[in-house]
Amino acid sequence: MLRLSDGVRSPGPEVVVLSTAEQWLCLKALLQGSSGNHLQCSFSSQGSSQVCELTVEHRSLCLRYAELKQDMSEENIGREIEGCFRSCKDGVCIFVLLIEGGFYSKRERRMMEILQAHFGAEALKFLVVLSLENVKIVDTLDDSLMELINTCDGRYCRVSAAGAGDGLRPLFEMVDLTLTEHGGTGYSEAALAAAKRSSTDESSMKMLRQKVQEAEVKGQAFEELARYQEDRRAREMEALKVKHAEERKKEIAERKKHESKRESLEEAVVSHRAMLQRQMSEGNDAKKTSVVLLGLSGCGKTSALNLILERAGGHYSVSESRPEAPQATLACDRKKVFAEGRQLSPGGHP
């Protein structure tokens, strides 16, 4: 373990290191290369975490690190960080974010997002940003990093391979100042429990907001569907009105056509009836025959006329043994009789 020049030391504050495996190895190499009278350190493993016992001039820190791989899910990263936190004595700790040369990359930003999501924004009050400056160093700090440092109340320090022991003094001072500002305590189990409750409440609220949004989206979709159906019904009604108007026009035209045809037929019937009557009248005149009986007075013209009329009417006289003497005709006489569909008009002159 640690080599102490003045005997047993008291345990120092617990620090959870947030970094990639490369950054942790860089810090480990830097500390091991600078180990001496001013800086003493030792490394060990506890479960899945690595522990670094660090002492600078009788002041000590316990660094705890769980390897955070780039392809790990946010849930697994949060679980690993929480495992390191729970391994701290009394569950009290300070968080340290490692960056290289002042570069604040997407990986570090992702870690900060996961830290706040899992431990709450309260965790940033116990965060120190430590920049490892070995090779390349940025000229100007990134705006997002400056925003993080401002949120952390300026808790930003740098350490290089040359004089690592002296470079770590600001880290010790910031850790002590943070603990002092919070009554000698760091981020605690109570703070984590409160963050989890808040996260649960926030998740519930987020789920509720999501359901409200879904309901609003469904409501909008329903309103759009209702408007579409109303427009469709209006179009269909308009189309039906046009169709019915056209059908009524056709019905009126058909009715006029039938009435015109009926009138024409009635006129044809009347005309045909008149023509038949005319033909019948003309036919009757064509079948009429006039017969004139000529002869001297007393030659029997009247008797012949009567005989013709009797025979035409289907009457036949019976000869008598003593026929009466015919009387002389004193005036012209004309008779009409129908036989065999023809009119016969015999007449005699006295």
Side-chain angles (χ1 to χ4, degrees), residues 19 185 254 343:
S19 73
T185 62
E254 289 291 332
Q343 179 180 336

Side-chain angles (χ1 to χ4, degrees), residues 69-102:
K69 298 179 180 179
Q70 187 174 356
D71 58 349
M72 293 177 65
S73 65
E74 295 184 3
E75 183 179 355
N76 289 335
I77 291 176
R79 187 182 297 113
E80 292 294 331
I81 297 175
E82 184 175 347
C84 279
F85 166 78
R86 294 191 181 281
S87 64
C88 296
K89 297 179 179 64
D90 300 325
V92 178
C93 76
I94 300 296
F95 297 101
V96 172
L97 173 66
L98 290 185
I99 62 175
E100 291 189 82

Side-chain angles (χ1 to χ4, degrees), residues 81-325:
I81 297 175
E82 184 175 347
C84 279
F85 166 78
R86 294 191 181 281
S87 64
C88 296
K89 297 179 179 64
D90 300 325
V92 178
C93 76
I94 300 296
F95 297 101
V96 172
L97 173 66
L98 290 185
I99 62 175
E100 291 189 82
F103 288 97
Y104 188 46
S105 65
K106 291 183 179 179
R107 292 182 298 177
E108 286 82 30
R109 288 197 292 270
R110 182 171 180 247
M111 288 181 190
M112 289 298 96
E113 292 173 356
I114 296 173
L115 177 67
Q116 294 181 74
H118 200 84
F119 291 83
E122 186 75 11
L124 296 182
K125 297 180 180 180
F126 303 90
L127 177 68
V128 177
V129 181
L130 178 61
S131 177
L132 305 177
E133 301 180 351
N134 295 332
V135 183
K136 186 177 180 180
I137 303 173
V138 296
D139 297 329
T140 305
L141 298 181
D142 183 74
D143 291 340
S144 57
L145 178 58
M146 289 299 300
E147 182 178 354
L148 176 62
I149 294 172
N150 291 332
T151 305
C152 299
D153 297 327
R155 291 187 293 274
Y156 175 76
C157 57
R158 300 178 296 176
V159 62
S160 61
D166 294 335
L168 286 176
R169 283 193 178 92
L171 175 62
F172 279 83
E173 293 174 358
M174 290 181 183
V175 170
D176 292 340
L177 178 61
T178 303
L179 294 175
T180 301
E181 289 176 349
H182 294 87
T185 62
Y187 188 88
S188 62
E189 289 278 1
L192 178 59
K196 287 184 176 294
R197 287 194 301 271
S198 177
S199 177
T200 301
D201 295 341
E202 185 177 353
S203 298
S204 301
M205 184 60 67
K206 183 178 180 181
M207 185 179 298
L208 181 59
R209 286 195 297 266
Q210 183 177 357
K211 289 183 178 180
V212 171
Q213 291 176 354
E214 291 176 354
E216 290 178 352
V217 171
K218 290 181 179 179
Q220 292 176 357
F222 176 78
E223 291 179 358
E224 291 178 359
L225 178 60
R227 285 194 296 269
Y228 169 77
Q229 291 179 344
E230 186 66 24
D231 293 341
R232 177 180 57 80
R233 285 192 291 268
R235 291 193 300 270
E236 291 177 353
M237 288 296 295
E238 190 64 26
L240 285 175
K241 289 180 180 178
V242 173
K243 182 179 179 181
H244 291 167
E246 293 177 353
E247 290 177 352
R248 282 193 293 271
K249 288 181 180 179
K250 289 182 179 179
E251 290 176 358
I252 293 173
E254 289 291 332
R255 187 180 294 110
K256 289 182 178 180
K257 181 179 179 181
H258 289 308
E259 289 179 354
S260 176
K261 186 175 182 180
R262 180 178 58 79
E263 292 176 356
S264 298
L265 290 175
E266 289 179 352
E267 291 178 357
V269 170
V270 172
S271 176
H272 186 67
R273 183 181 295 114
M275 182 184 68
L276 290 178
Q277 290 177 353
R278 185 170 60 254
Q279 289 177 353
M280 290 179 62
S281 176
E282 293 175 353
N284 291 335
D285 292 341
K287 294 181 181 180
K288 181 172 62 177
T289 304
S290 297
V291 178
V292 178
L293 299 179
L294 301 176
L296 296 176
S297 177
C299 67
K301 297 189 292 298
T302 301
S303 298
L305 176 61
N306 292 333
L307 179 62
I308 291 170
L309 295 176
E310 288 178 0
R311 294 290 177 89
H315 300 288
Y316 298 90
S317 60
V318 180
S319 297
E320 295 180 355
S321 58
R322 292 180 180 179
E324 296 180 357

